[in-house]
Amino acid sequence: MARADFISLMPCSNASRSVFGFVIVAFVSTMAMLSPARAGEGWTPLHLESFISAIGPGDVEGPPMDVSWCDLDGSAVNSGFCPTGRAWRLDPGDRIVARLTPNPGCGRVRVWIYAASLDAAGAWMRLGPAGPCGPDDGATVGVPAVNGTCLDLMVEHEVPPNGSLEWMIVNPGPSVLLIDELFVEGEDCADPEVHSCCETGGPGCEDDQLRDCVCAADPYCCEVAWDAVCVQAVGETGCGDCGMDCPAGLATDFGTVYIPGGACAALPDFFVSCEGTGPYLSISGGCAGTDDAALRFGGGFPWSTIETRCLDFSHASSARLRCVVSVSPGVPGPVFEAMVGQAPPIQLGRVPVSASGACREVQIDLAPLVGVNDVRIRIGSGSSVADGTRLDDLVIELDPPHGPCESGGVVVDDPAIGQCTCGVDEYCCSVAWDELCITIATLICEADCPSIPTCGTEGSCEVAHDGPGCADVECCSRVCAADPYCCVVAWDHPCVVISESTCGGPNPDLNGDGVVDGGDLGLLLAGWGSRDPALDLDGDGNVGGGDLGLLLAAWG
């Protein structure tokens, strides 16, 4: 930019800046298919429970089958006999009971289970008509004690008129019993109503090509149910488009009343997934009050977690998350992560342990997500302590207004300074408000910023160079106060001259009247050819043309 253009504050663009993209590498995991030995001809897979969760299996709503656990003794352990990962341990006296309600039309149901024990000779399992919690009669199979050998056991029963059965396994002892891979299938089950691939329902969907594409990435969608995760995967995997527009931002105060059933059920427009225990809505404790609900995290591990619907950051230049959080003293605070497609979570921040349980404001910079579409924010409790954390007033905002002395998006909270700054460099209002914009706002547009960002950069104040500013912060600030060009465009020769006169070098104001003019020129000419150090501005040992050039450069 020419100095004349700069001085007249003609609008300019800063085309030399680089905008760095954000690269996401997606990883697609696969899940083992059900064993062919367990999938009989004419039988339809209805449910698979692998006891992966440390807090035990959860209830499932079909199709193709509803599963609810009315009794769940025991605990999750690493399998010691059957090589299937985690397993469920039943100590002597323990039992578990599940109510199974398959799709209408299933004639019979059978349940397969892996079981192993050193000496649980009295253990047995039963499948029969549903009772209060445990079938009183039905098909019963004993669990032999075979010194830890992993057994593949099956029990079968017809579906009663009310459509519900109960499966139960009991370990009277004397040894521990391990079970794993509970697999339920039904015979002559009516096919569930065919549904769109953009709707939840039974396994699979009406578009065969799209269904196969999604299920290659997530077999659950074709084996168990086509749930909300499968619908979202249609777009995430590139298999199709369900037209799920992702909003640019999100804000909720979680309402004012308690709503049972968990936060995801209460606020489906904001949240698509809840894991672990809860989270729930609460009107007591921490950030919640009797007339203001807040999010309450449950205890246990995996952590109580909630995940937002997809959000669109593709057109943002900055973004942030704000909320208020209360955490019990000594308990780690919640963890904030971003989920982008099938890539691993991106940790954005967490609330540290505090000695106070007071409700505190939290703000997290979402800069790593700028330019990315289809982002979900996941918030985890951060600890296994039940009811240890409450969260309220969640706001995810794009390009939030900020002060003219702060880097950020293109919107500043002082319109006059913003308009003035963008008149010099439109980049500040079209791409981002960076340090150069702060410099312009400070030196030209009367923003009261504590420092000039381009001062303290590389480059000697005594040598001309291409970039703005110089290394000596104090000298740089003085020079740029006199000539903003030096901190906005380039540190050229006039900037060097000013630095020499204002930063401790020779002063062209020879008569000390505060201005370089004819009086100073007269003194210089009177000493022409001498070695007077007061007149030797360039320090070459002689008063001559070099000194005259410096004086004229500082004229006025």
Side-chain angles (χ1 to χ4, degrees):
M1 179 196 301
R3 275 184 168 267
D5 293 335
F6 176 80
I7 293 171
S8 64
L9 301 184
M10 292 294 290
C12 68
S13 63
N14 199 337
S16 63
R17 303 188 190 189
S18 297
V19 178
F20 295 91
F22 186 69
V23 180
I24 298 293
V25 180
F27 297 90
V28 179
S29 62
T30 58
M31 183 175 70
M33 301 294 287
L34 298 174
S35 169
R38 289 185 165 200
E41 184 176 352
W43 291 79
T44 302
L46 300 177
H47 182 68
L48 174 64
E49 174 57 57
S50 297
F51 299 99
I52 295 174
S53 172
I55 60 175
D59 294 348
V60 175
E61 293 185 3
M65 184 173 71
D66 294 345
V67 180
S68 60
W69 298 85
C70 66
D71 199 354
L72 193 60
D73 297 333
S75 59
V77 295
N78 291 323
S79 176
F81 300 110
C82 304
T84 56
R86 296 181 68 86
W88 194 256
R89 168 181 170 140
L90 295 172
D91 290 322
D94 286 348
R95 73 169 195 164
I96 58 175
V97 183
R99 173 166 291 199
L100 312 175
T101 306
N103 284 338
C106 288
R108 299 183 67 82
V109 165
R110 61 187 182 190
V111 178
W112 298 80
I113 194 79
Y114 288 144
S117 174
L118 291 175
D119 187 22
W124 52 273
M125 69 173 178
R126 177 179 295 162
L127 179 66
C133 184
D136 293 329
D137 56 25
T140 303
V141 174
V143 180
V146 286
N147 297 322
T149 301
C150 185
L151 303 174
D152 193 3
L153 305 175
M154 186 270 288
V155 62
E156 180 180 331
H157 199 280
E158 64 182 11
V159 178
N162 67 0
S164 293
L165 300 106
E166 283 183 340
W167 171 84
M168 174 172 64
I169 189 165
V170 178
N171 178 27
S175 180
V176 169
L177 175 67
L178 297 182
I179 63 171
D180 201 359
E181 299 299 314
L182 171 70
F183 174 51
V184 185
E185 56 184 352
E187 184 182 38
D188 299 329
C189 295
D191 291 334
E193 183 179 351
V194 177
H195 58 85
S196 164
C197 296
C198 296
E199 300 174 354
T200 59
C205 61
E206 64 183 1
D207 187 319
D208 293 345
Q209 183 175 357
L210 195 154
R211 176 201 64 209
D212 293 343
C213 178
V214 171
C215 292
D218 189 352
Y220 181 97
C221 301
C222 283
E223 294 175 4
V224 181
W226 193 274
D227 59 10
V229 175
C230 304
V231 173
Q232 189 161 316
V234 171
E236 289 182 352
T237 57
C239 298
D241 181 12
C242 282
M244 297 178 64
D245 293 332
C246 302
L250 175 153
T252 177
D253 62 2
F254 297 97
T256 58
V257 296
Y258 168 74
I259 301 176
C264 285
L267 301 167
D269 292 338
F270 297 102
F271 304 103
V272 298
S273 176
C274 290
E275 299 177 0
T277 305
Y280 310 100
L281 296 184
S282 173
I283 55 173
S284 64
C287 296
T290 55
D291 58 351
D292 179 31
L295 188 69
R296 173 174 64 88
F297 290 96
F301 189 84
W303 290 339
S304 179
T305 303
I306 194 166
E307 188 174 300
T308 70
R309 63 171 298 175
C310 67
L311 301 171
D312 184 2
F313 292 79
S314 59
H315 301 294
S317 58
S318 66
R320 70 183 177 190
L321 179 152
R322 294 186 290 111
C323 62
V324 291
V325 172
S326 61
V327 183
S328 298
V331 175
V335 175
F336 299 83
E337 297 177 317
M339 310 294 294
V340 182
Q342 301 295 321
I346 304 168
Q347 183 161 327
L348 303 169
R350 75 172 299 161
V351 177
V353 176
S354 173
S356 170
C359 191
R360 298 176 295 167
E361 293 186 2
V362 173
Q363 182 169 304
I364 295 178
D365 184 12
L366 302 181
L369 307 178
V370 168
V372 182
N373 187 16
D374 197 4
V375 178
R376 302 176 310 282
I377 303 298
R378 187 167 69 178
I379 308 172
S381 60
S383 78
S384 59
V385 177
D387 301 335
T389 299
R390 283 168 170 77
L391 183 147
D392 200 5
D393 298 335
L394 175 65
V395 177
I396 299 172
E397 53 188 344
L398 279 58
D399 295 323
H402 56 86
C405 301
E406 305 172 77
S407 298
V410 297
V411 182
V412 293
D413 57 13
D414 189 317
I417 292 178
Q419 183 177 4
C420 171
T421 302
C422 295
V424 178
D425 189 349
E426 64 182 27
Y427 180 99
C428 304
C429 286
S430 61
V431 181
W433 190 276
D434 62 4
E435 291 187 345
L436 192 54
C437 303
I438 298 173
T439 299
I440 296 171
T442 303
L443 296 174
I444 300 173
C445 301
E446 300 182 351
D448 187 18
C449 300
S451 61
I452 301 172
T454 51
C455 287
T457 55
E458 294 183 359
S460 170
C461 298
E462 300 174 359
V463 179
H465 49 270
D466 292 335
C470 64
D472 187 326
V473 174
E474 184 176 352
C475 178
C476 175
S477 300
R478 292 179 185 175
V479 171
C480 293
D483 187 350
Y485 183 96
C486 303
C487 277
V488 175
V489 182
W491 193 270
D492 59 6
H493 182 68
C495 305
V496 174
V497 172
I498 298 173
S499 72
E500 290 175 344
S501 64
T502 60
C503 302
N507 187 356
D509 183 16
L510 301 179
N511 61 7
D513 65 355
V515 63
V516 179
D517 56 12
D520 306 296
L521 177 60
L523 291 175
L524 182 70
L525 295 177
W528 194 269
S530 71
R531 297 180 179 273
D532 186 345
L535 304 176
D536 185 13
L537 301 179
D538 61 5
D540 66 353
N542 182 59
V543 179
D547 308 299
L548 177 61
L550 292 174
L551 186 145
L552 294 177
W555 193 269

